[in-house]
Amino acid sequence: MTTAGPAPAPEQDKGGLRTALAGLTTRGRSFLAAGVAAAICAYVLGQSDLLRVGLLLAVLPLVCATVLYRTRYRVAGSRRLSPARVPAGSEARVHLRMDNVSRLPTGLLMLQDRVPYVLGPRPRFVLDRVEAGGRREVSYRVRSDLRGRYPLGPLQLRLTDPFGMCELTRSFSTFDTLTVIPRVEALPPVRLSGEAKGYGDGRQRSLALAGEDDVIPRGYRRGDDLRRVHWRSTARYGELMVRREEQPQRARCTVLLDTRAVAYLGAGPDSAFEWAVSGAASMLVHMLERGYSVRLLTDTGSSVPGEGADGFAGSSQESADAAGLMMDTLAVVDHSDGMSLSSAYDVLRGGNEGLLVAFLGDLDEEQAGLIGRMRRRSGGAIAFLLDSETWTRESGEVPAAGGESAGEESLRLLHEAGWTALGVPRGASLTDLWRQADRQRAGLVSGLGTEGRS
């Protein structure tokens, strides 16, 4: 980004003079007021020497303002974020670079970058005289406990004269964006038993999915490898036939995030909703690393823009790009106005979704029943339930009540529907809950004798 301070056009002289006078500092205004007062006193008292002093005092700040306003500085500035995507609670460093692209040296420059208040105080730097063709580099740190996308900039230069009579601010036009993503917790690989066949070891071998009517061999299709031509069948049917071969089919995982505003109480980085968002982010990254095709789904039925029908594939560079897109989506996800999870259920009812991992808020009996029916569409289902009553009670806001709570009732209904469901206490570690889900799942299917790897 580049900025310059050109002299005003003739028709803008009046406005330019007004801008220059508005930039007078306290010292400049004091000199101007003292000069005017001295001139008035000289006129009243008839003292010509006092009049000269008054004119000197009044003219000095005006001359400084005019010269500063008409100063032609050609300065190029750039900003670099390291990194541009940072987890909540971690620091990022912003590097600023100023280049003097003119043939004249600059005067004293005051550099200021505009940042949102949640990232910290506004950084200010004083740059000494920059020689022609020279550069200066400075840096500062930003940190936020709240996820989101925060604009940095525009960069501002405050120009001042040697006497400190006037200051003018000129801004660059561009800005950058810092993305604060949810905290991601590294999860250990566990063995989740009882999943549907093909969902557990990341990959399986199966026949090419071409429909029930497609028998071996099948007709040639554009793009098929000619080395797969089955000549005996070609001669028999009178058309080019090819052999079907086994192709890898990637195991799938859907991460469901409940964002309903009515399902959570409280706000801030330690709230139940932020724990759910962080948990969903950790699960997505973990499943991508394990080789799953991963899809992020919210209660509104929406998913990450750009993902395919089977979600994002987890392989090498594609895995990193997919994780970045999902983290960008979770960085700005907010509460929805919906009251039901029916939209997510409609998305899941289309077929077998493989492993289903849900992060849920408060559930009434109707929503718990709806979640229970989602289990039928998946090979394995794990739910982490964040009951608002439990979170507020553990924080001391609500006293413990006798009898079965709404969260315990929801857990019971999910267990009856075949879910591996766990309540999430305040401040719980997802790593511990993930291992606990493995043990609970192993106990539920100990007599089935089927195991998969997640």
Side-chain angles (χ1 to χ4, degrees), residues 109-257:
L109 301 178
M110 297 183 64
L111 187 63
Q112 176 178 275
D113 205 7
R114 299 184 61 181
V115 300
Y117 72 94
V118 296
L119 297 182
R122 181 171 295 183
R124 295 181 174 90
F125 305 93
V126 177
L127 303 181
D128 294 332
R129 176 178 177 273
V130 182
E131 65 279 3
R135 70 178 62 168
R136 297 290 185 272
E137 294 185 5
V138 293
S139 65
Y140 64 93
R141 294 177 295 179
V142 291
R143 179 182 181 274
S144 174
D145 292 327
L146 299 175
R147 55 186 175 81
R149 293 173 61 87
Y150 300 102
L152 299 178
L155 196 62
Q156 294 179 329
L157 278 178
R158 298 181 63 185
L159 311 178
T160 182
D161 65 281
F163 300 102
M165 298 289 179
C166 183
E167 288 183 354
L168 295 180
T169 301
R170 289 173 180 162
S171 299
F172 293 85
S173 59
T174 60
F175 62 92
D176 295 283
T177 301
L178 175 68
T179 303
V180 180
I181 62 176
R183 296 183 180 92
V184 175
E185 190 173 346
L187 301 180
V190 299
R191 300 181 64 86
L192 293 174
S193 305
E195 299 176 2
K197 181 180 180 181
Y199 301 96
D201 59 352
R203 298 178 185 272
Q204 70 173 16
R205 301 293 297 180
S206 67
L207 293 177
L209 303 179
E212 296 179 356
D213 297 332
D214 194 7
V215 297
I216 300 177
R218 61 169 176 81
Y220 174 82
R221 295 172 183 170
R222 184 175 180 180
D224 285 340
D225 192 346
L226 292 178
R227 291 175 296 181
R228 293 169 50 196
V229 173
H230 192 267
W231 296 109
R232 181 178 299 178
S233 298
T234 298
R236 178 180 177 182
Y237 293 103
E239 60 176 319
L240 200 59
M241 306 293 290
V242 296
R243 296 185 303 272
R244 294 178 61 187
E245 295 181 354
E246 289 187 340
Q247 296 179 350
Q249 179 180 343
R250 190 182 302 275
R252 292 186 292 176
C253 174
T254 298
V255 177
L256 173 61
L257 175 62

Side-chain angles (χ1 to χ4, degrees), residues 365-403:
E365 186 175 351
E366 179 183 356
Q367 297 306 310
L370 187 64
I371 291 292
R373 292 195 294 273
M374 292 182 184
R375 169 66 179 84
R376 306 170 189 172
R377 303 294 179 181
S378 64
I382 304 173
F384 299 95
L385 185 63
L386 294 93
D387 176 46
S388 295
E389 181 179 343
T390 302
W391 277 65
T392 53
R393 183 172 67 242
E394 293 177 354
S395 64
E397 299 178 13
V398 178

Side-chain angles (χ1 to χ4, degrees), residues 8 11 58 65 84 188 203 224 242 268 272 274 298 315 319 388 422 442:
E11 62 271 19
R203 298 178 185 272
D224 285 340
V242 296
E274 292 302 322
T298 66
S315 60
S319 177
S388 295
L422 296 90

